[in-house]
Amino acid sequence: MEEQDWAQVVAAATRAPSIHNTQPWRLAAWPDRLELHLDRDRALPVLDPTGRQQVISCGALLEFAVAALAAAGHGTEVALLPDAGDVDHLATVRLAGAVEPTDDDRVLAAAIPERHTVRAPFEPRAVPGDLLDRLQREAGASGVWLKPITRSEEEVATVFLISRAEEMEQGDPAYLAELERWLRTDPAAQDGVPVNAVPSGDPHERASNWLIRDFVVGQREQQPFRAGGDPDAPPPAVERPAVVLMGTDGDDRADWLRAGRALGHLLLRVTAAGLVASPLTQALDWPATRVRMQARLSLVGHPQMLLRLGYPRPAEPGDPAPAVSGRRPVRDVLRFEPAG
Ligand SMILES: Cc1cc2nc3c(=O)[nH]c(=O)nc-3n(C[C@H](O)[C@H](O)[C@H](O)COP(=O)(O)O)c2cc1C
């Protein structure tokens, strides 16, 4: 493929989600292949000292790249961790000939620009069981298990561990300093989490047990009610997100990449079905709460990603446009090598 074709694929692939929108990737393309490398300059040493969540993010990018290539008529072969001497070389995608794209290939690739993390409350409408079954089947086919958190004792345990993790994080100055470094107020920022992509934490807006990561530090305590909010207003409708836990039997880099690919695929599938999602990974940041989750939910294997899924609330007149997180330009993340 030519340089401009790779640039298009990489522009789509880099729409992938990443922890704190760190975009911890570097890409190199040749006419016949694309290499994915972890960019350690964008690490999160406090939140993610092993790089697990950043490798998952790179796995999501890998899946988006494969989806974009499939829709453009390219078969691919993916090798995970192809270089034993360089663990940061996470994957190589080789072009494997022309293949007529299926309708599903087109549907999934079309979902790439539509997908965004939506942290706002969802509609009080249940996620269809057949969609959850499909997500479970498709994750399973890529070596990743998906467990909907449905039993009330599992929900109580998970909600407890998330709030315990949030509490630990809010009490850790190093965690807070790192979070603040990735928070953005400039709407043109090319990375980081835009402040207006994070709901205010107003309890009159959200009736849910599921605690969204507190990005704007301390806002929950300082702003129990939004200025001008009516304290006598009726309580909001209770959202009914489906909460799903993704995990793997092992817990090494290859497992993290597989989890990231499965995450990328799941997000495209739910977007294509008109749903939105937001990760809730606080309880998995910390070894203590991650291990307790394994025990409390009797998991065989390692939890990698917790997500809430649901239907977005329709925009009302006067609502601000939803914030879209920025991306670094392709030229900053992709190097093209014409020969070899
Ligand atoms: C591994 C991983 C963990 C994440 N954890 C959280 C989280 O705990 N809370 C949250 O609100 N968003 C979380 N996110 C979402 C990112 O913040 C989001 O993908 C990023 O800001 C880019 O925005 P976008 O998904 O709208 O493109 C996570 C994403 C990834 C890939």
Side-chain angles (χ1 to χ4, degrees):
M1 262 180 18
E2 302 290 331
E3 183 168 9
Q4 63 271 27
D5 301 322
W6 279 121
Q8 269 183 19
V9 168
V10 168
T14 53
R15 289 309 315 172
S18 59
I19 178 79
H20 289 4
N21 199 18
T22 45
Q23 305 165 44
W25 44 63
R26 274 188 302 107
L27 296 139
W30 284 261
D32 64 338
R33 68 188 188 279
L34 180 70
E35 283 187 4
L36 166 62
H37 296 260
L38 182 67
D39 184 347
R40 287 194 185 239
D41 291 346
R42 308 181 68 79
L44 296 171
V46 182
L47 172 73
D48 190 24
T50 61
R52 185 181 64 84
Q53 300 199 56
Q54 290 206 315
V55 172
I56 291 177
S57 309
C58 288
L61 173 138
L62 180 60
E63 185 64 20
F64 278 25
V66 169
L69 284 163
H74 297 280
T76 48
E77 280 165 13
V78 177
L80 300 184
L81 302 168
D83 183 349
D86 178 4
V87 289
D88 290 344
H89 179 177
L90 297 178
T92 295
V93 182
R94 282 185 184 280
L95 298 181
V99 180
E100 184 60 29
T102 63
D103 288 346
D104 198 45
D105 290 335
R106 292 198 179 92
V107 163
L108 292 173
I112 291 177
E114 304 301 323
R115 183 217 60 88
H116 303 288
T117 298
V118 173
R119 301 178 182 86
F122 297 155
E123 284 275 276
R125 175 177 164 200
V127 175
D130 57 350
L131 177 63
L132 286 173
D133 290 346
R134 181 172 197 177
L135 299 177
Q136 230 166 349
R137 259 196 330 273
E138 291 182 345
S142 56
V144 173
W145 48 259
L146 186 94
K147 177 182 168 56
I149 307 287
T150 46
R151 291 182 24 228
S152 74
E153 62 272 24
E154 292 173 343
E155 179 174 327
V156 168
T158 309
V159 166
F160 170 77
L161 291 172
I162 293 177
S163 48
R164 179 82 196 95
E166 266 284 338
E167 216 176 277
M168 284 158 70
E169 294 184 330
Q170 297 302 318
D172 180 345
Y175 167 87
L176 295 178
E178 188 177 82
L179 184 68
E180 223 162 322
R181 270 202 300 282
W182 289 96
L183 207 57
R184 300 287 181 264
T185 46
D186 175 359
Q190 295 177 349
D191 60 11
V193 179
V195 274
N196 52 351
V198 185
S200 70
D202 180 342
H204 278 205
E205 275 182 12
R206 176 182 298 278
S208 176
N209 291 334
W210 299 102
L211 200 59
I212 298 294
R213 190 187 290 272
D214 194 0
F215 281 96
V216 184
V217 174
Q219 103 178 324
R220 245 178 224 129
E221 286 75 31
Q222 288 161 17
Q223 268 186 283
F225 302 105
R226 185 197 262 179
D230 175 2
D232 298 324
V238 176
E239 63 168 7
R240 300 243 171 272
V243 175
V244 296
L245 181 64
M246 306 182 83
T248 48
D249 293 344
D251 197 25
D252 60 19
R253 278 197 170 200
D255 294 305
W256 302 342
L257 282 168
R258 276 191 283 275
R261 286 197 71 177
L263 169 69
H265 181 81
L266 176 149
L267 292 173
L268 296 183
R269 178 65 70 211
V270 300
T271 305
L275 281 81
V276 290
S278 75
L280 298 163
T281 58
Q282 305 95 310
L284 308 184
D285 297 343
W286 299 82
T289 44
R290 190 168 177 231
V291 167
R292 277 176 75 186
M293 183 172 286
Q294 261 171 318
R296 295 289 299 273
L297 303 187
S298 312
L299 302 176
V300 182
H302 303 267
Q304 303 292 357
M305 169 54 70
L306 189 68
L307 282 168
R308 61 192 261 285
L309 312 174
Y311 289 92
R313 297 234 166 129
E316 285 174 16
D319 279 357
V324 172
S325 61
R327 290 297 185 274
R328 290 180 293 154
V330 168
R331 64 173 180 281
D332 288 5
V333 295
L334 173 66
R335 176 170 59 87
F336 183 70
E337 305 276 349

